[in-house]
Structure formats: structure tokens, C-alpha cells
């Protein structure tokens, strides 16, 4: 029986690392982030999330670089209703403290009973043994044949060791011996500590988390920045296996992988993706890709979703802009579409100087102001513009005339 969300509840708005119980206030309302358990939503949960995005938010659903799903454009007034729906669907835990625990990110192609799945389940059962860690800290569980999450933000990693690691020889597990065993690696260190089972990996990870806190890691905030030498019981001696590729768009052994332009899709497009009864679930990835599970996932292209790995929109940044965000005086997505494939470097199209979609400088940034665009080169959305007051056509024309660094 879920807890009722009090309609008079006010969201606890924080300016960093938002969740569902602690949404972030942005220019287009509250941003509510959902962390699917084991990185997987059932078809019913996905449909419910689509309905919630349309009922309580802007109707857009975003997929983050840590494989979370987020809804934007939620108002203070609609947040309690949204939370009630999310809790009822099992997309958010009724206990707000649960989402304070470090995020767990799983290699998305895990199978029931394999090392990634087993390790993740063992860790779920012991989460309350972890110390309180800084908000942004995360755990990558990446124990498939080849680690896939090495370039994804995480602080503690459980990975497959290079074949022939110490633990592979010690392990009685035939699969582990064939693949190489497991290791636990503190982010920022090239080598990890070999362990001989998923249970031992979880034990070692919990110990390392306590060491992080006891050795002053909270001040550093992230494991990578914490330069204290590792304790003698966690020797960094074993390299991870050679990294594997991210999931390719298209057919997959468990269904089909689809891409999200600019890391975002409409609820309508995602509803269409899971419409066939034979699509049983959706797995999230940190690469703007969703894995649709089930035979019914294969087939014709789905409007609003990508199926070509070379599509530049998989890498471009664009905030929702007008009409989705009240702060925007321009439409961002139309210009982003026009620029797709026509610019050699990184691109960010922002509805205003807040730059919600990207806080890093990009080769080309276009920022909306008073219904026109400012053009910034090598900067952020709030950077000093090279040209101002541009319409969409002016932007294209400007780039054509100044194509030194831009392929047009
Ligand atoms: S950057 Fe985009 S989403 Fe953020 S407040 Fe401005 S217009 Fe809205």
C-alpha cells in the first residue's frame, strides 16, 4: 500500500542532483527525475510515465547521461499529483530517503541471473549499509563480458577484470573463469581490486564507500578527486577487461535499440514504441538510447525516434525551448534540426541564457533572446556573442559566410 502524497506538500527544491522527491527548479518549472530500478521499466510503467508527462509536465521525456528519465515543466501545484502517480506505478519509492542513496547504473544488456544482475540485486539488498555519500556519487555495475560504462560518470565500479586476473584463477565459477573475474575499482584509478564473486564485490564496494568517508572523501565530493591512497585491503592491481561498445541502434538480441534526438522524445513517440503487446519492457542507457525488450520491438521506424547511429542529433544539445518553456522566446528544436549534420563541432541551441541543456562550452552555441538568437563560438549559453539578433535564416546565412570551422 503506497503512502499518499499530501496535496499540500511542497517539493523540496534543490539546485543540484534532482530526484523526484527533490525536484530541481528550472526555467520551465520543476524537473522531476525518475531512476528506474535496475535500469528497467515494464511496458506498463513506461505507458504510465508517458501519461504522467502529458498530464503533469510538458509532454517531453528526457534521458540523462546517467540513464535517468526526467519530466520537465511540472508546476508546484501539479507535483503532488505526479508523485502520487509515480509512487503508485513503482517508479518512485514512497520513502523519500531511498532516492538519497547513491545512484546505481547497470550495463543495460544484463540478463536475469548474470553477474551484473546478481551483483545489482545483492547490492540493492544491502543499500542501507552504505554510508551517507555526497549527492552526485554513483555506482556502476558493469560485469558483462566487456565493460561498457567506463566513460559514464560513476565513483565506484564493479567490472569484469581482464582475462587471467587473480580472481579468475581462484574462482570456481566457470563463466567467471572463462571471462575473467570481477573487480571493484575506485573511479580515477586505472586498476581495481580483484574479487571472487558478486557477493564479494558488493562487500568490497561497501567497505570502500566507508573508507571514502572515513578518509575525508566528502570534502573532495567525488572519488576521482579524492587522492588519498587506497587502503591496503583494496589493492589496485588488476585492469578491467577491454571496453565494449555502447549498444548500437537497431536490432538487438533482446529486441531493438532506439535513439532519442537531443536526448529527448515526446510521450507520444515513446508510447508508440511500446504499443505492441509483445514489447515487454524498456531499458534505459546513458547514451540517449533505449532498449525495447521483446520480439514486437523490431520492425518499422518509429516516428520521433532515431534508428541510425550516425545521426548527429544523438550528440547535439538543445533545451526544450518554446513553446515548452515559458522562459524561451524562441523555438530551439526547429533550429537544432536545421543545423543537424551541417556543423562539424559540438552544437548547443538554448532557449535562453540559462543553458539548461548544457553547462559546458560548445563549438557553436545559439542562445535565444527577445525572439532572436545570439551566436556564441566556443562558449556557453551565457557567453559573449559574436553576432546578435539573428533569425533562424540569419543563423544559417552567418554560418555559410563564416564556414572556417563549420562544415556547411
Ligand atoms: S535554457 Fe531552455 S529550458 Fe532552460 S530556462 Fe531557458 S528556455 Fe527554458
Amino acid at each position: 500500500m503506497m503512502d499518499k502524497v499530501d496535496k499540500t506538500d511542497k517539493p523540496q527544491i534543490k539546485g543540484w542532483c534532482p530526484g523526484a522527491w527533490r525536484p530541481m527548479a528550472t526555467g520551465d518549472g520543476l524537473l522531476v527525475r525518475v531512476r528506474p530500478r535496475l535500469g528497467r521499466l515494464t511496458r506498463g510503467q513506461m505507458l504510465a510515465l508517458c501519461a504522467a508527462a502529458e498530464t503533469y509536465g510538458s509532454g517531453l521525456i528526457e534521458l540523462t547521461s546517467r540513464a535517468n528519465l526526467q519530466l520537465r515543466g511540472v508546476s508546484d501545484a501539479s507535483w503532488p499529483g505526479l508523485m502520487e502517480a509515480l509512487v503508485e506505478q513503482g517508479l518512485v519509492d514512497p520513502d523519500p530517503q531511498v532516492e538519497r542513496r547513491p545512484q546505481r547504473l547497470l550495463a543495460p544488456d544484463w540478463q536475469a541471473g548474470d553477474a551484473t544482475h546478481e551483483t545489482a540485486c545483492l547490492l540493492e539488498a544491502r543499500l542501507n549499509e552504505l554510508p551517507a555519500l555526497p549527492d552526485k556519487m554513483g555506482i556502476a555495475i558493469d560485469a558483462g563480458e566487456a565493460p561498457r560504462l567506463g566513460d559514464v560518470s560513476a565513483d565506484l565500479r564493479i567490472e569484469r577484470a581482464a582475462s587471467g586476473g587473480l580472481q579468475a584463477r581462484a574462482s570456481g565459477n566457470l563463466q567467471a573463469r572463462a571471462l575473467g573475474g570481477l573487480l571493484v575499482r575506485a573511479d580515477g584509478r586505472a586498476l581495481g581490486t580483484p574479487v571472487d564473486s558478486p557477493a564479494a564485490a558488493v562487500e568490497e564496494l561497501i567497505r570502500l564507500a566507508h573508507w571514502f568517508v572515513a578518509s575525508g572523501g566528502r570534502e573532495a565530493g567525488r572519488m576521482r578527486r579524492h587522492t588519498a591512497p587506497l587502503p591496503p585491503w583494496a589493492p589496485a592491481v588488476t585492469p578491467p577487461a577491454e571496453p565494449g561498445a555502447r549498444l548500437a541502434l537497431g536490432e538487438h538480441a533482446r529486441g531493438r535499440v532506439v535513439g532519442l534526438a537531443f536526448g529527448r522524445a515526446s510521450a507520444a513517440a515513446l508510447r508508440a514504441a511500446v504499443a505492441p503487446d509483445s514489447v515487454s519492457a524498456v531499458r534505459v542507457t546513458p547514451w540517449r538510447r533505449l532498449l525495447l525488450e521483446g520480439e514486437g520491438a523490431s520492425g518499422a521506424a518509429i516516428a520521433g525516434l532515431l534508428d541510425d547511429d550516425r545521426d548527429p542529433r544523438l550528440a547535439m544539445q538543445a533545451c526544450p525551448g518554446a513553446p515548452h518553456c515559458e522562459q524561451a522566446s524562441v523555438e530551439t528544436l526547429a533550429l537544432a534540426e536545421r543545423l543537424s549534420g551541417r556543423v562539424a563541432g559540438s552544437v548547443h541551441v538554448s532557449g535562453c541564457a540559462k543553458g539548461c541543456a548544457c553547462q559546458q562550452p560548445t563549438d557553436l552555441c545559439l542562445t535565444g533572446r527577445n525572439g532572436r538568437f545570439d551566436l556564441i563560438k566556443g562558449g556557453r549559453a551565457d557567453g559573449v556573442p559574436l553576432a546578435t539578433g539573428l533569425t533562424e535564416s540569419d543563423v544559417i546565412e552567418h554560418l555559410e559566410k563564416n564556414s572556417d570551422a563549420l562544415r556547411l
Side-chain angles (χ1 to χ4, degrees):
M1 186 73 182
M2 69 157 187
D3 288 352
K4 277 271 184 207
V5 179
D6 186 336
K7 297 285 187 194
T8 62
D9 277 357
K10 285 271 179 262
Q12 297 174 42
I13 297 166
K14 301 288 179 188
W16 64 94
C17 218
W21 288 107
R22 296 188 307 157
M24 179 191 279
T26 68
D28 55 336
L30 299 176
L31 183 155
V32 175
R33 190 170 284 174
V34 172
R35 300 173 179 172
R37 185 175 180 274
L38 303 182
R40 183 176 187 268
L41 300 88
T42 64
R43 177 172 177 268
Q45 285 176 320
M46 191 72 227
L47 288 169
L49 190 70
C50 292
E54 289 173 335
T55 305
Y56 303 104
S58 64
L60 296 175
I61 297 177
E62 297 181 333
L63 180 60
T64 74
S65 60
R66 278 184 151 189
N68 295 307
L69 291 164
Q70 62 192 24
L71 310 187
R72 304 189 76 108
V74 178
S75 68
D76 280 12
S78 63
W79 176 80
L82 170 63
M83 290 303 295
E84 199 166 318
L86 295 177
V87 169
E88 188 172 334
Q89 290 296 328
L91 288 164
V92 170
D93 195 280
D95 178 357
Q97 292 308 312
V98 169
E99 77 172 15
R100 304 293 301 267
R101 292 174 181 156
Q103 163 147 16
R104 285 81 64 203
L105 180 62
L106 277 68
D109 51 350
W110 57 266
Q111 298 189 64
D114 72 6
T116 295
H117 181 241
E118 182 182 352
T119 305
C121 292
L122 289 168
L123 180 59
E124 293 290 306
R126 297 185 63 184
L127 284 177
N128 58 3
E129 295 179 42
L130 288 169
L133 293 167
D135 261 3
K136 288 186 185 291
M137 284 188 71
I139 296 167
I141 305 173
D142 195 11
E145 191 171 341
R148 294 187 191 276
L149 303 177
D151 59 355
V152 176
S153 174
D155 298 85
L156 291 159
R157 300 175 185 275
I158 296 176
E159 295 170 321
R160 180 67 54 190
S163 184
L166 295 175
Q167 75 286 20
R169 292 198 295 274
S171 171
N173 179 307
L174 287 181
Q175 186 198 24
R177 284 221 299 237
L179 294 175
L182 300 178
L183 60 79
V184 180
R185 187 161 66 88
D187 192 49
R189 283 75 171 175
L191 306 177
T193 303
V195 290
D196 63 7
S197 67
V202 171
E203 180 69 31
E204 181 81 2
L205 183 142
I206 292 171
R207 246 184 124 183
L208 262 180
H210 283 278
W211 164 80
F212 175 83
V213 172
S215 57
R218 273 212 194 94
E219 276 143 49
R222 299 294 301 264
M223 184 67 85
R224 178 173 282 276
R225 297 198 291 260
H226 187 42
T227 52
L230 290 168
W233 47 262
V237 293
T238 302
E242 282 296 310
R246 56 187 59 178
L247 302 190
L249 296 187
E251 298 292 317
H252 185 277
R254 274 182 280 295
R256 176 182 184 180
V257 182
V258 293
L260 276 62
F262 317 116
R264 171 182 310 114
S266 68
L270 294 175
R271 186 182 292 115
V274 298
D277 285 348
S278 49
V279 175
S280 53
V282 176
R283 297 198 192 181
V284 289
T285 82
W287 311 300
R288 295 183 169 181
R289 291 150 203 255
L290 294 171
L291 169 57
L292 310 176
E293 282 185 45
E295 287 173 13
S298 57
I302 302 163
L305 298 178
L306 308 180
D307 55 12
D308 185 342
D309 280 308
R310 295 162 301 180
D311 197 307
R313 292 171 291 176
L314 286 167
M316 292 171 69
Q317 312 291 342
C319 80
H324 304 289
C325 175
E326 286 177 3
Q327 305 291 315
S329 63
V330 292
E331 288 187 26
T332 51
L333 300 179
L335 178 57
E337 290 282 352
R338 283 183 79 177
L339 293 173
S340 172
R342 305 181 76 186
V343 178
S346 53
V347 180
H348 177 197
V349 184
S350 186
C352 78
K354 286 191 178 161
C356 294
C358 179
Q359 295 296 319
Q360 309 303 322
T362 51
D363 294 323
L364 173 66
C365 180
L366 296 149
T367 301
R369 187 165 56 85
N370 299 330
R372 300 288 178 104
F373 287 96
D374 290 349
L375 186 150
I376 298 145
K377 255 182 154 181
R380 302 172 3 140
D382 59 357
V384 179
L386 204 65
T388 59
L390 305 176
T391 64
E392 262 187 48
S393 299
D394 293 339
V395 169
I396 302 293
E397 197 179 321
H398 179 95
L399 295 177
E400 281 170 344
K401 282 187 187 154
N402 301 275
S403 59
D404 49 329
L406 306 167
R407 173 167 50 83
L408 279 162

